[in-house]
Amino acid sequence: MFQSAEIGHRINKTKYREAVPALRAALLEAQAKLFEDKSTPVLILISGEDGAGKRETIHVLYEWMDPRFLSTLAFEDPTDEERERPAMWRYWRALPPKGRIGIFAGSWYSDPIRRRIKGKLSQKDLDARAEQINRFEAMLVNEGALVLKFWIHLTKDAQQQRLEDLQNNPQTAWRVTRWNWKRLKTYDKLQDVAGHMLRLTDTAWAPWVVVEGTDEKYRSVRIGQVIAAALEARETVAKPEVTERRTDTAVPMLAGSPIAPFLRVVTDGRNVLSTLKLDMPMSDKAYKQELAQLQGRLSVLARDPRFKKLSLVLAFEGADAAGKGGAIRRISAALDARQFEIVPVAAPTEEERAQPHLWRFWRKLPRQGHISIFDRTWYGRVLVERVEGFCSEQDWQRAYSEINDFEHELVDYGVIVVKFWLQISQEEQLKRFKEREQIAFKRFKITQEDWRNREKWDAYQQAICDMVERTSTGEVPWTLVEANNKNYARIKILRTLCERLEEALGPINKA
Amino acid sequence: MFQSAEIGHRINKTKYREAVPALRAALLEAQAKLFEDKSTPVLILISGEDGAGKRETIHVLYEWMDPRFLSTLAFEDPTDEERERPAMWRYWRALPPKGRIGIFAGSWYSDPIRRRIKGKLSQKDLDARAEQINRFEAMLVNEGALVLKFWIHLTKDAQQQRLEDLQNNPQTAWRVTRWNWKRLKTYDKLQDVAGHMLRLTDTAWAPWVVVEGTDEKYRSVRIGQVIAAALEARETVAKPEVTERRTDTAVPMLAGSPIAPFLRVVTDGRNVLSTLKLDMPMSDKAYKQELAQLQGRLSVLARDPRFKKLSLVLAFEGADAAGKGGAIRRISAALDARQFEIVPVAAPTEEERAQPHLWRFWRKLPRQGHISIFDRTWYGRVLVERVEGFCSEQDWQRAYSEINDFEHELVDYGVIVVKFWLQISQEEQLKRFKEREQIAFKRFKITQEDWRNREKWDAYQQAICDMVERTSTGEVPWTLVEANNKNYARIKILRTLCERLEEALGPINKA
């Protein structure tokens, strides 16, 4: 959930000064309209790590918006009154009526996350709470509410830096307590728990907006822009919409959500791909050394007796000519041929088209002790099928959650799932295409279609960013591979794979 | 879930002979169309208690339909192949392709239900499985599948009778094993677990059809009719539909489902209301004696120290003049006025209209040790608002699950929820209306509106049946009260209340 909020989003003073007046005007206008219509209550949840800037964000919202129609609802320890009723009673009491905006500093998420970190709530209980929250929020939205959930995220370093800054400033030092420093120690645990909770509750009807908190100007503008866009979108949705439905009743797109248009607001133009340094150096000599060493390590891991109870699914995605095949060959070279299968994925067969889109991948799952290497994967639906229009928007939107469910089922059973995106620059791709045309035995690899795909480069980049944002989970993260240099890419892939296997097998006894 | 499948549904031989030819023709035609279109895979799950007639039902389906396009998938203990993959792998393997029908004898429900009964799965784990199943089925339906889930239900007596019949018939005696008799002993446990599981997985996209299994002819015709109606409905749904949507993304109606039109098939005209004997006898003398005794019992229970940690919500619903007020007064007479509040529910105020429909009931929840008595309730949305068109169909359809969630939250916290439906005959209502017009101090109770409501009697009966079917849960069952005789009704209500309180407080120490 947090990958795209760790890339150093920021905007400079000039841009900030340019953006704010228009943004304030948009917010005020939308708010006036909201009050006039009196048809929508708006709930804004401001959540996130300590010191990430929640307090400051609320302050900015009060400055930018009309405070007469805002209320802030802070939830401390429950009162007597509250303790004697079901847990959700306090939130029901605090719901804003239609036409008003309620800012929730702390919400129904705070208590389960806190208790899970303290170990007072089991994983299953947390999941049950997430499901209950999804139903609660679905009810609110069905009843007309707009629910905007922000999670302000800081990297561990950024959080430490921020606490230090606060402490060094005499005006803010009082806000830093021992408790804050203690929370920094549980940072990783919070990331795990919050990441999981956010993924489960990232629904079509109430999606999470994760905002990088380090740069105050970026944070404020980002949140303001999303609120303005969402309020504006609200006005246009009363229009009836023609949709093709399979049944007479709505089939939901469950958690792990589609991308609401108001989330597509661009604030500073940075994304997980644009911030990759694609030309990483690695000499042939260093490559050969490392390759031999890593292949040996992999070979030992695959023959480890503990692996017999596990299995491994490797997923390779990347633009044409990004080097998937070459990377796969460096892996398979280290394995026993009886143990692995390489599954090249092309257009589905007739038999496969008569089944749900994930069916053909379920067919190819490895038995225990075995390895399936997918050269292109179940992500086709949110990449090529999305960009080329081979499926409807609704189909690829719901695919994010179906894919997350699929991978979760695998991991839950004991399958190790490792997935790689190989990123090359447009120039590098062109160079490789031309090389392929020159080399006879590689010529079959380049077709007219490859040239056509190049034209949709930007659409693909957007699809990849969305894919990483929606499907890079704590259990199955995406590894983005800087692949302009094949040496570097292959080594990074092999090393990542070895590390993931070692992690799954537990501590290795060096014999 | 099972209340409406315990009322002795049956059809006689003549009606059966009349119904079958048309039904077979409809099934064959729908099946041919299905195969021609090749757009929809159909999954039919035949589940239910032992000896309820699952095997016979599948047999009948083969007789009535074209067996070339049917396949039956039975799942026994998993094979080696299956054990070495995630649990759902065996079902993915068995999915019927588009155009074909797969009958599942045993399914993804069997294993969690069985393991829960044996105590090998916790309640939370069961809930997690239910959630996983909902997502799996949503994916299937989104991918174009039609998922029909039948649960064949027998009362405990009927199950015993059926096992005896099978055993007494030399041709079928071999089918009855000690294992069957043992299952009879766990009948209550199965009802609890299956009832809970069915409620959680009764979704808009894959609703459960509970079929009373005692009468073979009823069972077969009922299942055949629902399949035929569902296949037929499938053909009409490709049409684009204009729907008013609040947001650009679909908001789901979650589990606890709307009533799919194909479930409204009428097979034998019986329902939970038509089978009530409304004129139950009770003399004034017997009434006075029992009343005094029960009021005493209730008074003691309400002052029990253990009640201080609990609270009580009483819900009264019934037609106009059904006697709700009188019954409530007989309860309040036994209670300390500081302990209870009577909440009369009329049309919502302006403030309440600016909030979700359940908000006004959340407001009135009792503190610990207290009692709220609702004279009309949160069921207004699925009764008067549905019938009078005060809300959209989508609104009342989703209300069933919202109400189930609401009551579950209360129970989960420790609130005892007891709900009564008071049923009177149309004649009795007319008599009472006329009496009220005669008696000065009761005249205010009868208005033009009451007379108008009478005209919608049938629509109300349908709404009540749907309400009982969708919201009578193991935790919070509906008590249907035969209320033509006020004496009888009041005593039944008081006795039910005392029993539920005693159950909740645990064993009483007689001092």
Side-chain angles (χ1 to χ4, degrees):
Chain A
M1 288 298 300
F2 303 127
Q3 214 157 346
S4 61
E6 297 193 335
I7 59 177
H9 281 292
R10 73 183 72 87
I11 53 178
N12 62 32
K13 218 181 240 177
T14 321
K15 285 215 166 152
Y16 183 79
R17 285 208 190 119
E18 277 169 22
V20 169
L23 183 52
R24 291 185 63 169
L27 284 168
L28 286 169
E29 193 184 337
Q31 214 184 348
K33 191 82 174 45
L34 185 77
F35 185 72
E36 199 186 299
D37 290 351
K38 284 204 182 46
S39 64
T40 311
V42 179
L43 288 77
I44 299 178
L45 276 59
I46 304 288
S47 333
E49 288 123 43
D50 284 327
K54 289 174 285 189
R55 177 194 305 243
E56 292 81 352
T57 301
I58 293 173
H59 191 76
V60 168
L61 292 179
Y62 267 85
E63 209 180 287
W64 288 353
M65 299 174 84
D66 185 338
R68 288 174 303 163
F69 309 121
L70 284 182
S71 44
T72 295
L73 310 148
F75 296 92
E76 309 287 333
D77 289 334
T79 65
D80 277 5
E81 279 271 292
E82 290 169 345
R83 256 195 296 273
E84 296 196 2
R85 267 98 170 183
M88 293 301 287
W89 188 73
R90 61 195 316 214
Y91 303 112
W92 276 91
R93 281 218 293 178
L95 292 181
K98 288 172 181 167
R100 289 185 64 96
I101 297 176
I103 300 178
F104 287 74
S107 68
W108 38 93
Y109 290 98
S110 322
D111 177 65
I113 289 177
R114 190 166 46 230
R115 284 174 57 214
R116 176 66 191 139
I117 290 173
K118 286 187 185 164
K120 289 184 180 170
L121 207 64
S122 73
Q123 186 68 41
K124 284 276 153 61
D125 285 333
L126 186 75
D127 291 359
R129 287 291 288 273
E131 175 52 21
Q132 194 188 11
I133 286 173
N134 281 343
R135 296 162 73 95
F136 173 66
E137 291 175 354
M139 179 281 300
L140 290 177
V141 174
N142 274 320
E143 288 285 317
L146 178 63
V147 182
L148 294 171
K149 307 188 293 194
F150 293 96
W151 184 272
I152 309 179
H153 175 76
L154 286 183
T155 59
K156 198 170 185 174
D157 287 349
Q159 196 181 23
Q160 177 141 17
Q161 186 59 51
R162 211 177 121 76
L163 284 177
E164 279 167 14
D165 289 351
L166 285 171
Q167 201 162 41
N168 293 338
N169 179 342
Q171 291 194 330
T172 55
W174 60 274
R175 283 175 47 196
V176 182
T177 64
R178 204 181 315 166
W179 183 81
N180 290 110
W181 290 107
K182 215 168 132 194
R183 282 296 282 270
L184 185 58
K185 286 193 190 147
T186 59
Y187 179 89
D188 295 329
K189 183 89 187 148
L190 171 66
Q191 295 308 299
D192 276 1
V193 173
H196 181 77
M197 192 71 173
L198 263 60
R199 184 172 75 78
L200 291 185
T201 56
D202 186 28
T203 55
W205 53 95
W208 277 101
V209 185
V210 178
V211 179
E212 188 163 353
T214 321
D215 181 64
E216 192 173 333
K217 291 191 275 304
Y218 170 78
R219 188 181 69 214
S220 306
V221 170
R222 174 83 192 155
I223 292 176
Q225 283 179 340
V226 170
I227 293 174
L231 287 175
E232 208 171 304
R234 180 197 68 85
E235 290 174 34
T236 59
V237 289
K239 287 181 205 151
E241 226 178 59
V242 178
T243 50
E244 282 200 35
R245 295 253 209 99
R246 256 214 81 265
T247 61
D248 55 309
T249 47
V251 179
M253 298 195 287
L254 293 160
S257 83
I259 301 137
F262 61 81
L263 297 183
R264 293 187 187 145
V265 169
V266 175
T267 300
D268 70 344
R270 262 171 243 256
N271 63 44
V272 287
L273 295 179
S274 72
T275 48
L276 286 178
K277 294 200 178 80
L278 298 181
D279 293 293
M280 300 297 281
M282 173 161 291
S283 70
D284 286 352
K285 192 181 158 200
Y287 168 67
K288 275 178 195 158
Q289 270 184 356
E290 287 225 45
L291 181 68
Q293 196 214 331
L294 284 165
Q295 284 182 331
R297 194 166 144 198
L298 176 60
S299 168
V300 171
L301 287 165
R303 283 178 289 139
D304 190 294
R306 286 167 297 182
F307 184 67
K308 289 214 159 46
K309 280 278 157 202
L310 301 169
S311 53
L312 174 64
V313 164
L314 284 175
F316 282 88
E317 287 286 358
D320 295 320
K324 297 185 291 296
I328 289 171
R329 275 196 302 282
R330 298 316 179 280
I331 291 169
S332 61
L335 301 172
D336 181 334
R338 289 164 301 181
Q339 198 185 10
F340 71 87
E341 184 186 7
I342 297 176
V343 185
V345 174
T349 65
E350 192 189 337
E351 194 192 5
E352 289 168 344
R353 282 198 304 274
Q355 294 282 4
H357 70 104
L358 289 170
W359 187 76
R360 56 187 181 138
F361 306 105
W362 274 95
R363 291 177 92 182
K364 294 295 185 180
L365 290 185
R367 298 184 69 154
Q368 288 180 349
H370 286 70
I371 299 170
S372 294
I373 306 176
F374 290 88
D375 184 350
R376 300 205 186 275
T377 67
W378 43 96
Y379 285 96
R381 182 152 273 208
V382 299
L383 295 171
V384 57
E385 292 189 46
R386 165 183 171 175
V387 175
E388 306 294 337
F390 296 157
C391 66
S392 72
E393 168 153 357
Q394 207 182 348
D395 285 336
W396 61 259
Q397 289 272 25
R398 70 182 156 79
Y400 297 112
S401 79
E402 291 166 358
I403 287 170
N404 283 335
D405 285 349
F406 170 55
E407 293 179 356
H408 177 74
E409 275 184 80
L410 300 189
V411 171
D412 205 38
Y413 176 74
V415 184
I416 307 159
V417 183
V418 188
K419 55 194 188 191
F420 298 99
W421 173 265
L422 280 69
Q423 179 72 3
I424 51 172
S425 65
Q426 249 181 311
E427 299 69 39
E428 179 66 23
Q429 190 187 40
L430 187 63
K431 201 181 104 204
R432 293 189 186 176
F433 277 11
K434 286 188 176 159
E435 277 169 15
R436 286 186 176 183
E437 285 188 324
Q438 302 303 317
I439 305 169
F441 75 92
K442 279 193 174 173
R443 203 172 295 156
F444 76 96
K445 292 182 85 172
I446 181 105
T447 65
Q448 269 315 106
E449 207 185 312
D450 292 321
W451 289 103
R452 267 201 310 279
N453 286 348
R454 273 181 65 79
E455 288 165 19
K456 297 188 176 156
W457 185 270
D458 290 343
Y460 273 102
Q461 301 305 297
Q462 184 58 54
I464 299 157
C465 288
D466 289 342
M467 172 185 84
V468 172
E469 172 124 3
R470 298 286 146 183
T471 62
S472 201
T473 62
E475 288 176 341
V476 192
W478 273 104
T479 299
L480 304 182
V481 181
E482 304 83 345
N484 274 5
N485 180 336
K486 286 182 187 177
N487 289 350
Y488 177 87
R490 289 169 188 173
I491 295 300
K492 178 169 180 178
I493 289 168
L494 268 165
R495 185 180 298 118
T496 305
L497 174 56
C498 288
E499 285 167 2
R500 291 287 302 281
L501 276 171
E502 279 160 11
E503 200 184 295
L505 292 176
I508 301 274
N509 298 317
K510 301 265 176 193
Chain B
M1 288 298 301
F2 303 126
Q3 216 157 344
S4 60
E6 297 193 336
I7 60 177
H9 281 292
R10 74 183 73 87
I11 54 177
N12 62 33
K13 218 181 244 178
T14 321
K15 285 216 166 148
Y16 182 77
R17 285 205 191 120
E18 279 170 20
V20 169
L23 183 51
R24 291 185 63 169
L27 285 169
L28 286 169
E29 193 183 337
Q31 215 184 346
K33 190 84 174 48
L34 186 76
F35 185 71
E36 198 186 299
D37 291 351
K38 286 206 181 45
S39 65
T40 312
V42 179
L43 288 77
I44 300 178
L45 276 58
I46 304 289
S47 334
E49 289 121 43
D50 284 327
K54 287 173 286 190
R55 178 194 304 246
E56 292 81 351
T57 300
I58 293 172
H59 191 76
V60 167
L61 291 179
Y62 267 85
E63 209 179 288
W64 287 354
M65 298 173 85
D66 185 338
R68 288 174 303 164
F69 309 123
L70 285 181
S71 45
T72 296
L73 309 148
F75 296 93
E76 310 288 333
D77 289 334
T79 64
D80 277 5
E81 279 272 292
E82 290 168 346
R83 254 194 297 272
E84 297 195 1
R85 267 98 171 184
M88 292 302 286
W89 189 73
R90 61 195 317 215
Y91 304 112
W92 275 91
R93 280 218 292 177
L95 292 181
K98 288 173 181 166
R100 291 186 63 96
I101 298 177
I103 300 178
F104 286 75
S107 68
W108 39 92
Y109 289 98
S110 320
D111 177 65
I113 290 177
R114 189 167 47 231
R115 285 174 57 212
R116 175 68 191 138
I117 290 174
K118 286 188 185 164
K120 289 183 181 170
L121 206 65
S122 74
Q123 185 68 41
K124 285 276 152 62
D125 285 334
L126 186 74
D127 292 359
R129 288 291 288 270
E131 175 52 19
Q132 195 188 10
I133 286 173
N134 282 342
R135 296 162 74 95
F136 173 66
E137 292 175 353
M139 180 279 301
L140 289 177
V141 174
N142 274 321
E143 288 285 316
L146 178 63
V147 181
L148 294 171
K149 308 187 294 194
F150 294 97
W151 183 273
I152 309 180
H153 175 76
L154 288 182
T155 60
K156 198 172 186 173
D157 288 349
Q159 195 180 21
Q160 176 141 20
Q161 186 59 51
R162 210 177 121 75
L163 284 178
E164 279 167 14
D165 289 350
L166 284 172
Q167 200 160 43
N168 293 338
N169 179 342
Q171 292 193 328
T172 55
W174 61 274
R175 285 176 44 198
V176 182
T177 63
R178 204 182 310 165
W179 184 80
N180 291 111
W181 290 107
K182 215 169 131 193
R183 283 295 283 267
L184 185 58
K185 284 190 191 149
T186 58
Y187 179 90
D188 295 331
K189 183 87 187 154
L190 171 66
Q191 296 307 298
D192 276 1
V193 173
H196 181 75
M197 192 69 173
L198 264 59
R199 184 172 75 76
L200 291 185
T201 55
D202 186 27
T203 55
W205 53 96
W208 277 102
V209 185
V210 178
V211 179
E212 189 163 352
T214 322
D215 181 63
E216 194 174 331
K217 292 191 275 305
Y218 169 79
R219 188 181 68 213
S220 306
V221 171
R222 175 82 191 155
I223 291 176
Q225 284 179 341
V226 170
I227 293 175
L231 287 176
E232 209 171 303
R234 178 197 67 86
E235 292 174 32
T236 61
V237 288
K239 288 180 206 153
E241 226 177 57
V242 178
T243 49
E244 284 202 31
R245 297 256 208 93
R246 256 214 80 263
T247 61
D248 55 310
T249 47
V251 179
M253 298 195 287
L254 292 160
S257 82
I259 300 137
F262 61 81
L263 297 182
R264 291 186 188 145
V265 168
V266 175
T267 300
D268 72 343
R270 263 170 243 257
N271 63 44
V272 287
L273 295 178
S274 72
T275 48
L276 287 178
K277 295 199 177 80
L278 298 182
D279 293 292
M280 299 297 282
M282 175 161 289
S283 70
D284 286 353
K285 193 180 157 202
Y287 167 69
K288 274 178 194 155
Q289 268 184 355
E290 288 225 45
L291 181 69
Q293 197 215 330
L294 284 165
Q295 285 182 330
R297 195 166 143 197
L298 175 61
S299 167
V300 171
L301 286 165
R303 283 178 290 136
D304 189 295
R306 287 168 297 181
F307 184 68
K308 290 212 159 52
K309 280 279 157 200
L310 300 170
S311 53
L312 174 64
V313 163
L314 283 174
F316 283 88
E317 286 287 356
D320 294 322
K324 295 184 294 293
I328 289 171
R329 275 195 302 283
R330 300 316 180 278
I331 291 169
S332 61
L335 301 172
D336 181 334
R338 289 164 301 181
Q339 198 185 11
F340 72 88
E341 183 186 7
I342 297 177
V343 185
V345 174
T349 65
E350 191 189 333
E351 194 191 3
E352 289 168 343
R353 282 198 304 275
Q355 294 283 3
H357 70 105
L358 289 169
W359 186 77
R360 57 188 181 136
F361 306 104
W362 273 95
R363 291 177 92 181
K364 294 295 186 178
L365 290 186
R367 296 184 71 152
Q368 288 181 348
H370 286 71
I371 300 170
S372 293
I373 306 176
F374 290 88
D375 185 349
R376 300 203 185 276
T377 68
W378 43 96
Y379 285 95
R381 179 150 278 207
V382 298
L383 295 171
V384 56
E385 290 188 48
R386 164 183 172 174
V387 174
E388 306 293 340
F390 295 157
C391 66
S392 73
E393 168 155 355
Q394 205 183 350
D395 286 336
W396 60 258
Q397 289 272 26
R398 71 181 155 80
Y400 297 112
S401 78
E402 291 165 359
I403 287 170
N404 283 336
D405 284 349
F406 171 54
E407 293 180 355
H408 176 74
E409 275 184 80
L410 300 188
V411 171
D412 204 39
Y413 177 76
V415 183
I416 306 159
V417 183
V418 189
K419 55 193 188 190
F420 297 100
W421 174 265
L422 280 69
Q423 177 73 2
I424 52 172
S425 64
Q426 249 183 310
E427 300 70 40
E428 180 66 24
Q429 190 187 42
L430 186 63
K431 203 181 103 201
R432 292 188 188 176
F433 275 12
K434 286 187 175 158
E435 279 169 16
R436 286 187 175 181
E437 286 190 321
Q438 302 302 317
I439 304 168
F441 75 92
K442 280 195 173 173
R443 202 170 297 155
F444 76 94
K445 292 181 84 172
I446 180 104
T447 65
Q448 269 316 106
E449 206 185 312
D450 293 321
W451 289 103
R452 265 200 311 279
N453 287 347
R454 271 181 65 77
E455 289 165 21
K456 298 192 175 151
W457 186 268
D458 290 341
Y460 273 103
Q461 302 305 296
Q462 184 59 52
I464 300 156
C465 288
D466 289 342
M467 171 185 85
V468 172
E469 172 124 2
R470 298 284 146 185
T471 63
S472 201
T473 62
E475 288 176 341
V476 193
W478 273 104
T479 299
L480 304 182
V481 181
E482 304 83 346
N484 274 5
N485 179 334
K486 287 181 184 177
N487 290 349
Y488 176 86
R490 289 168 187 171
I491 294 302
K492 178 168 179 177
I493 288 167
L494 268 165
R495 185 179 298 117
T496 305
L497 175 56
C498 288
E499 285 167 2
R500 291 288 304 280
L501 276 172
E502 280 160 10
E503 201 184 295
L505 293 176
I508 300 275
N509 299 318
K510 302 267 175 192

